[in-house]
Amino acid sequence: MISYARQTQEEQPGALPPPPVEEHIAPAPRVSVQAFCETVETAAAVQSAGEDRRLGKAHLKIQMGGMAAAIEAYRSAPTPNVIVLESDARNDLLAGLDQLATVCDAGTRVVVVGRINDVMLYRELVRRGVSDYVLGPVSAIDVVRSICNLFSAPEAKAVGRIIAVVGAKGGVGASTISHNVAWAIARDLAMDAVVADLDLAFGTAGLDYNQDPPQGIADAVFSPDRVDTAFIDRLLSKCTDHLSLLAAPATLDRVYDFGSDAFDSVFDTLRSTMPCIVLDIPHQWTGWTKRALIGADDILIVAAPDLANLRNTKNLFDLLKAARPNDRPPLYCLNQVGIPKRPEIAAAEFAKAIESQPVVSIPFEPQIFGSAANNGQMIAEISANHKSIEMFLQIAQRLTGRSETKKQKSSLLSPLIEKFRGK
C-alpha cells in the first residue's frame, strides 16, 4: 500500500511537500520480468527502467496489449518471475486477474500499473495476490522501485550500500581518502563497514591498516564457485570493532586479468552481510572497473587541482550520469591542494567545469599523511584534532546519508575527572 499512501499524501490540499529523503533501492537479483503495457508512455518508462543499474541482472521483455495480451501469452508459455500489467478499467482489471490466475505459475509476482486511486481497489488486488499496485503515470524509478522491492522483504536484513572510490588520475591519493573515509564511517557513524581493496597487484589497504592477512579478495575472485557468506567471512581481516578489510595480495606472481563480472559474486555476498562496503578501485579502465563504478550505490571521485584531473573527472561524470540516470550524480573531492610552487586550478573553476561543487578540498600536508602511511595508521590515530578528520567525516556523511552518532552528554564533573585522569 506504499504507492497509494504516497499519492494521497501528495494530493492533500494545503499539505506541505515532504522533505527530500535519499532513497536506497537494493538491486534486484537475476529474475525474468515481462511487462504488458497499454500506453507507449508506460512502455517507455519500463524500457528506461530496464536500463537502470539496479535491474542490470534482470531479463526484461516488453509487449503491448495489456491484460488480454498477458492472458493469451501464458496459455501456452510458462510465466516469468515478475509480470508487470497496465490496466485502467476497474472491472476489466479484476476479471482479467481472475483469468490470469488460471494460467499463472505458482510463485510469479504481479505488479499492476493503474490510474484508479482507490484503497478498496488496492485491498481487492491484494486479496487476489497482486504484489504491488502503482498509480500511473509511472516513471522509470517507479518501476525500478516496485520490482526491486519485491525481493527486499521487510523482515530481511537490509542490503548493504556499496560506495566506490576512484582517482581521476594515478597518484592523487584516492586509496588514502577511501581508507580514512571508511574509518570515519566505522568509528564516527558506528556502521559496520568493509574495505575491499581491488588493486590486487599494488593495493595499499593492508599497509594503511597495518594488516597482513594470509588470505584476501584474490582468493574469492579466483574461486567464484566457493564464494558464500561463510567463505567471505574467513577472508575478512578485522581492523576495528566496526571495520573489516578484504585485502589485496599486492604480489606480482600472477596476472590479474578478469572478465567484467569477475567481482559480482563477491559484491553480492558482501551486500548480504555488511551494511556498508567501500570499494578502493584502482586507476585503470577495464570492463570490471567500469562495471563496479556503474553498479555502486554512491561514487566518490578523488582529483588533484590540475588540468588532466579536471578532464578525467569531467569524463567520469558524463559517463556515470548517462549510465545511471536514476541515481544522484557522483561526488568528488579535491586532494593535495596547495602544493608549493605548483600552478593549480582553483576550486571554483573546477566546480564551474564539472557543474558541481567538491565535497571538500583537502590541503597538501605531506608530513602527517606520510607519517600515517609509513606507520600503518589513519590520520585520526596520528592527530585526533587534525582538520582533515572533519573533512573525512563530511565525505562519509554525504556518501552514506547519515549524521554523526550522538555522543553521551558529559556531566558537570567530567572536566574534573578528565583532569585527574591526565595526572
Side-chain angles (χ1 to χ4, degrees), residues 357-415:
Q357 293 291 332
V359 183
V360 295
S361 294
I362 303 173
F364 176 67
E365 297 191 52
Q367 184 172 358
I368 187 167
F369 278 84
S371 297
N374 289 336
N375 294 336
Q377 293 178 298
M378 297 292 99
I379 300 300
E381 296 178 290
I382 293 287
S383 176
N385 297 318
H386 194 266
K387 56 187 176 183
S388 66
I389 299 172
E390 182 62 30
M391 295 182 184
F392 296 141
L393 178 57
Q394 289 180 41
I395 297 173
Q397 290 172 330
R398 288 287 299 277
L399 289 170
T400 61
R402 296 198 178 192
S403 301
E404 186 176 5
T405 55
K406 294 181 179 179
K407 297 179 174 60
Q408 291 183 346
K409 294 182 179 180
S410 58
S411 67
L412 295 175
L413 297 178
S414 295

Side-chain angles (χ1 to χ4, degrees), residues 201-356:
F202 304 105
T204 59
L207 296 176
D208 286 352
Y209 291 121
N210 196 25
Q211 300 284 329
D212 187 22
Q215 294 177 303
I217 193 167
D219 298 271
V221 176
F222 287 111
S223 304
D225 55 322
R226 298 178 58 195
V227 173
D228 58 20
T229 302
F231 183 64
I232 292 295
D233 284 345
R234 289 197 297 270
L235 302 181
L236 292 176
S237 176
K238 195 79 170 176
C239 299
T240 69
D241 289 341
H242 290 289
L243 183 64
S244 299
L245 170 65
L246 197 54
T251 58
L252 304 180
D253 56 349
R254 65 199 308 176
V255 176
Y256 304 106
D257 292 333
F258 304 117
S260 60
D261 60 350
F263 289 87
D264 283 7
S265 60
V266 179
F267 297 162
D268 289 345
T269 305
L270 287 172
R271 275 188 185 276
S272 67
T273 59
M274 281 287 181
C276 185
I277 303 101
V278 178
L279 305 182
D280 181 4
I281 298 181
H283 181 73
Q284 54 183 267
W285 198 240
T286 63
W288 68 264
T289 54
K290 180 180 178 181
R291 185 180 178 93
L293 282 172
I294 293 175
D297 295 295
D298 290 282
I299 302 165
L300 175 70
I301 300 170
V302 180
D306 62 32
L307 185 59
N309 276 273
L310 176 57
R311 179 202 63 187
N312 295 351
T313 301
K314 176 65 173 173
N315 288 343
L316 283 169
F317 255 74
D318 291 345
L319 180 138
L320 292 170
K321 287 169 69 175
R324 299 155 50 90
N326 300 314
D327 290 87
R328 69 172 177 176
L331 304 177
Y332 77 97
C333 71
L334 295 178
N335 191 33
Q336 302 173 351
V337 175
I339 294 181
K341 299 183 180 180
R342 181 183 72 172
E344 295 181 347
I345 297 176
E349 293 300 317
F350 218 97
K352 184 178 179 180
I354 304 299
E355 299 180 347
S356 176

Side-chain angles (χ1 to χ4, degrees), residues 8-18:
T8 53
Q9 181 185 25
E10 293 173 354
E11 293 174 1
Q12 288 177 355
L16 293 174

